[in-house]
Amino acid sequence: MTADATSAWLVEAEGLVKEYPTDRGMARVVDGVSFQIARGETLGLVGESGSGKSTVARMLLRLIEPTAGAVRFGGVEVLAAKVGALRAMRRRMQIVFQDPYAALNPRMRVAEILAEPFAIHGERPARGVEARLRELLDAVGLETAALGRYPHEFSGGQRQRINIARALALKPELVVLDEPVSALDVSVGAQVVNLLKDLQREYGLTYLFISHSMPLVRYLCDRVAVMQKGRLVEMGEVCAVCETPRDEYTRRLIAATPVMPGEAALG
C-alpha cells in the first residue's frame, strides 16, 4: 500500500542524526535521515554494511539515543517519552534481530522465552499464557512440543521463527526486521520471508525491513529507502526504484545483488 497526503503515518522519522566520538572528533554515522511508514505498509531500508540502516532502526525504537532529530509513533513523540510511557509504547513496537541464536537466551526453554514479554509488561493473555504460547508457535509454523526445548535444539530457521513468535507476543503494530534472513541459507530464508508476508496479512502488521538484498526488498516491501554512508540517497515505490533507479549508488546496489538460486522459493 502507499500512503497519500491525508493518511495517518504510524512512524515518522525527521532529521535523525547519530554521532559517535572518535580519536579524531565526532564521526557522523547517520546524517539527517527522514521518512514515514504508513499503517500496514512495509518500508525497506537498504544499503551496504556500515551505511547506518541498523542504527536508524535502533533510534526509531529508542534502543539508542539520537544526537538530533525526532521520532513519532502514532503521533506521539518517542524521544520525549518518560519511562512509563516508553514502556507502554514498546509493547506496540518490536524488533527481530539478524542473528537468531544470539537473540535467544540459551539457558531458557522456548516456553520461558515466549512468556518473558508478558512477565516484563505485567500482562496476562485473556485465555492464559500457555494457550497464547501455543497460538504463537502455531502462527510461525512450529509444533507445541517446541515449548519444552532449548534454542540449541533447533535449526537456524526454526530459531528465527521463535524470535518472530516472541516479537508478536504482545500484539505489536510495528515490527522492525533487522536483516532477519541474512544469517540463514537462501531456501530457509525464503521460507521465513514468506512467513513474514503471511503474518503481516493476518495481523495487519507494519514492517520496517532492513536488508542489503534488493531482490528481497522488492518481493516484501511497498516502498524502499536507500542509504549510503549515513544518508538517504533515494526513496520511492519499490518497483519504480528497482526498475528505474535515479541514483548511481542505487544502480550499483541492484547490480551487486542479483537473484540467487533458491530465491524462486519466494512467493
Side-chain angles (χ1 to χ4, degrees):
M1 63 165 289
T2 304
D4 59 35
T6 62
S7 296
W9 300 108
L10 179 63
V11 177
E12 299 169 89
E14 184 177 336
L16 287 178
V17 174
K18 184 60 182 178
E19 296 178 336
Y20 290 103
T22 69
D23 293 340
R24 299 182 178 181
M26 300 301 289
R28 183 166 289 196
V29 297
V30 174
D31 190 3
V33 169
S34 300
F35 58 84
Q36 301 84 28
I37 312 175
R39 294 179 187 276
E41 179 182 35
T42 300
L43 176 69
L45 191 58
V46 65
E48 296 172 305
S49 296
S51 62
K53 52 192 188 297
S54 291
T55 302
V56 168
R58 284 160 174 74
M59 287 192 288
L60 279 188
L61 302 178
R62 205 173 159 188
L63 298 178
I64 59 175
E65 297 286 337
T67 305
V71 177
R72 288 180 290 278
F73 181 73
V76 177
E77 293 284 351
V78 174
L79 305 181
K82 303 300 183 185
V83 174
L86 184 60
R87 176 184 285 266
M89 201 177 294
R90 281 189 172 148
R91 294 179 70 263
R92 302 165 56 203
M93 48 187 189
Q94 296 290 318
I95 185 167
V96 175
F97 293 102
Q98 176 178 354
D99 186 337
Y101 190 67
L104 300 173
N105 187 332
R107 297 178 180 175
M108 295 173 68
R109 297 179 190 271
V110 170
E112 298 171 282
I113 290 168
L114 297 185
E116 192 173 33
F118 302 111
I120 290 171
H121 290 272
E123 180 175 318
R124 182 172 176 81
R127 296 177 54 218
V129 173
E130 187 174 343
R132 178 63 177 149
L133 301 191
R134 290 197 298 267
E135 289 174 359
L136 290 168
L137 286 180
D138 183 63
V140 299
L142 293 176
E143 298 292 333
T144 303
L147 291 171
R149 295 162 63 190
Y150 290 94
H152 72 268
E153 300 180 67
F154 296 92
S155 68
Q158 289 171 327
R159 290 176 197 145
Q160 197 61 296
R161 288 171 186 263
I162 294 167
N163 281 312
I164 293 167
R166 180 176 57 185
L168 296 180
L170 298 173
K171 301 181 179 180
E173 297 170 60
L174 171 71
V175 180
V176 174
L177 303 162
D178 191 358
E179 303 218 36
V181 299
S182 63
L184 308 176
D185 68 52
V186 173
S187 60
V188 173
Q191 293 170 17
V192 171
V193 168
N194 282 322
L195 170 65
L196 291 169
K197 215 170 173 61
D198 292 340
L199 291 170
Q200 182 177 44
R201 189 181 307 113
E202 183 173 355
Y203 297 111
L205 298 168
T206 301
Y207 288 151
L208 175 63
F209 181 71
I210 298 168
S211 182
H212 60 270
S213 169
M214 290 300 287
L216 282 177
V217 167
R218 181 166 187 166
Y219 175 72
L220 187 63
C221 301
D222 302 295
R223 291 184 301 132
V224 60
V226 182
M227 286 192 70
Q228 180 188 26
K229 296 181 180 178
R231 293 176 175 266
L232 282 185
V233 297
E234 186 162 357
M235 185 169 179
E237 297 289 330
V238 68
C239 289
V241 170
C242 288
E243 291 172 7
T244 56
R246 298 189 306 274
D247 191 86
E248 175 59 28
Y249 174 75
T250 307
R251 289 194 284 271
R252 294 201 309 269
L253 195 64
I254 293 170
T257 53
V259 176
M260 299 295 291
E263 286 188 359
L266 293 170

